[in-house]
Amino acid sequence: MKLLIMAAGIGSRYGGLKQIDGFGPNGETIMDYSIYDAIKSGFDEVIFILQDNMVEDFYKKFDHAFGGQLKVSHVVQRTDIEYNGSLILRKKPWGTAHAILSARNVIDTPFVVINADDFYGPKAFKQMANFLSEVNSEDQFALVGYRLGNTLTASGHVARGICESDGSNYLVSIKEKTRIFKDGDRIYNLENDVKEYLTTETLVSMNCWAFTPSIFNHIQNSFNDFIARNRQSENAELFIPNVLNGLLDTGAIRIKVIESIDPWFGVTYRGDKEKATSKIDQLIKEGIYPASLWD
């Protein structure tokens, strides 16, 4: 089974490449713990999505090769895009949907995709591995969902995919909200001067998805339309919920929602590092992880 990790973010709010920053007692990254959990669940290949200028530093960081327990490779998410015979140049990546699209030439089987800077927990990978072993339709996908109140930071706003599911735990809609923050005991999203109240129990996506290769054609179609509209923008991004929501509206796909029972944590801002490090220390004390992952 293949695990695709989105690690091409520039970390502007963190102030550096958080995907290769150390959080464990031996400098382990959050990705190390995700990969450790994935191996335990039967994954045997990991593919990293990187930017060109990250590749050398990335492989220096991961020279341990995860104990030699899986195949390791990478693809590059380019920021220069060809459109109608012209090259569009910009510094910022084009979003999570485009990141996944970068891997279309190296993945031809069902796979799981995650963020590099989110800790999902061991059971999330077991749940996704079980789903992949049973999937029998090219347009049947899955999502591990988390409760919004457990996914916020005190350091600033975050982006989350707000999920609505039906009585059979299939996704009805998912909408990307990009400025969610906590104000006292209440949670809001503020976009275009519109303040929207959200509950702590709202189910959200943290980009832990199971897809079949059919997702690449779906993303390509959406990205073509997106570039036609946004080719002159320095900041516009195509998020995976933008792609999936349109497909859900037409009934082209089904997405099983699997709610996580593991705790989530992640890093968006530099101020999140202390909490993440403390969480990992606690998990080691509880015996969930060894003190040194790859010995």
Side-chain angles (χ1 to χ4, degrees):
M1 290 185 292
K2 291 181 173 65
L3 177 65
L4 182 64
I5 302 183
M6 294 188 286
I10 58 178
S12 56
R13 288 181 287 182
Y14 190 76
L17 297 180
K18 56 188 173 179
Q19 55 269 55
I20 61 173
D21 202 358
F23 296 85
N26 303 288
E28 293 92 346
T29 67
I30 289 179
M31 277 190 293
D32 276 299
Y33 291 94
S34 291
I35 292 168
Y36 180 88
D37 289 334
I39 291 171
K40 294 290 187 184
S41 297
F43 289 80
D44 56 10
E45 183 174 353
V46 61
I47 303 161
F48 298 102
I49 304 170
L50 307 173
Q51 290 192 51
D52 259 334
N53 60 359
M54 295 177 177
V55 174
E56 184 177 353
D57 289 340
F58 192 88
Y59 279 102
K60 285 180 181 177
K61 177 68 177 181
F62 295 109
D63 60 356
H64 53 69
F66 312 107
Q69 298 180 68
L70 77 175
K71 179 181 177 182
V72 179
S73 62
H74 77 277
V75 295
V76 171
Q77 181 185 13
R78 305 193 65 85
T79 56
D80 52 325
I81 301 295
E82 187 173 330
Y83 177 76
N84 282 352
S86 298
L87 198 61
I88 303 171
L89 301 175
R90 79 173 197 180
K91 294 181 179 179
K92 187 174 182 178
W94 293 91
T96 54
H98 180 250
I100 295 171
L101 188 61
S102 303
R104 73 176 305 167
N105 293 327
V106 298
I107 294 180
D108 58 5
T109 58
F111 64 100
V112 167
V113 60
I114 62 171
N115 290 335
D117 54 352
D118 288 312
F119 175 92
Y120 297 98
K123 293 185 180 65
F125 292 93
K126 288 184 174 66
Q127 291 168 310
M128 285 307 210
N130 289 339
F131 175 84
L132 290 185
S133 69
E134 298 171 356
V135 65
N136 55 16
S137 168
E138 66 175 10
D139 287 315
Q140 174 80 57
F141 307 149
L143 158 71
V144 175
Y146 295 80
R147 296 295 169 177
L148 177 59
N150 297 325
T151 72
L152 301 179
T153 172
S155 300
H157 66 270
V158 296
R160 300 287 182 259
I162 304 297
C163 301
E164 179 187 352
S165 59
D166 62 18
S168 300
N169 294 320
Y170 280 91
L171 201 63
V172 174
S173 71
I174 178 168
K175 298 178 180 178
E176 188 80 7
K177 306 287 186 178
T178 60
R179 296 188 66 85
I180 298 175
F181 64 97
K182 194 169 184 180
D183 184 3
D185 294 330
R186 297 175 73 86
I187 302 171
Y188 298 97
N189 181 61
L190 180 62
E191 292 182 72
N192 300 320
D193 295 323
V194 177
K195 195 174 185 180
E196 175 187 8
Y197 171 68
L198 300 169
T199 72
T200 59
E201 293 302 303
T202 299
L203 194 68
V204 299
S205 163
M206 303 302 301
N207 281 334
C208 184
W209 298 96
F211 291 126
T212 69
S214 71
I215 190 63
F216 296 121
N217 286 335
H218 292 310
I219 294 175
Q220 185 67 70
N221 292 335
S222 293
F223 192 66
N224 291 343
D225 294 340
F226 170 83
I227 285 295
R229 298 191 310 270
N230 296 282
R231 58 187 179 274
Q232 295 182 329
S233 173
E234 289 295 319
N235 297 301
E237 297 179 75
L238 182 64
F239 301 109
I240 194 62
N242 301 142
V243 176
L244 298 176
N245 211 40
L247 296 169
L248 289 168
D249 286 344
T250 64
I253 60 172
R254 298 189 79 200
I255 302 176
K256 183 71 174 179
V257 179
I258 304 168
E259 185 171 349
S260 173
I261 57 175
D262 278 331
W264 169 93
F265 59 86
V267 286
T268 302
Y269 300 89
R270 181 66 62 173
D272 298 329
K273 182 172 182 175
E274 182 178 353
K275 182 178 179 180
T277 301
S278 176
K279 290 273 192 180
I280 289 172
D281 286 344
Q282 183 60 38
L283 290 168
I284 292 171
K285 290 176 183 177
E286 293 172 4
I288 307 299
Y289 298 104
S292 183
L293 282 183
W294 306 116
D295 285 347

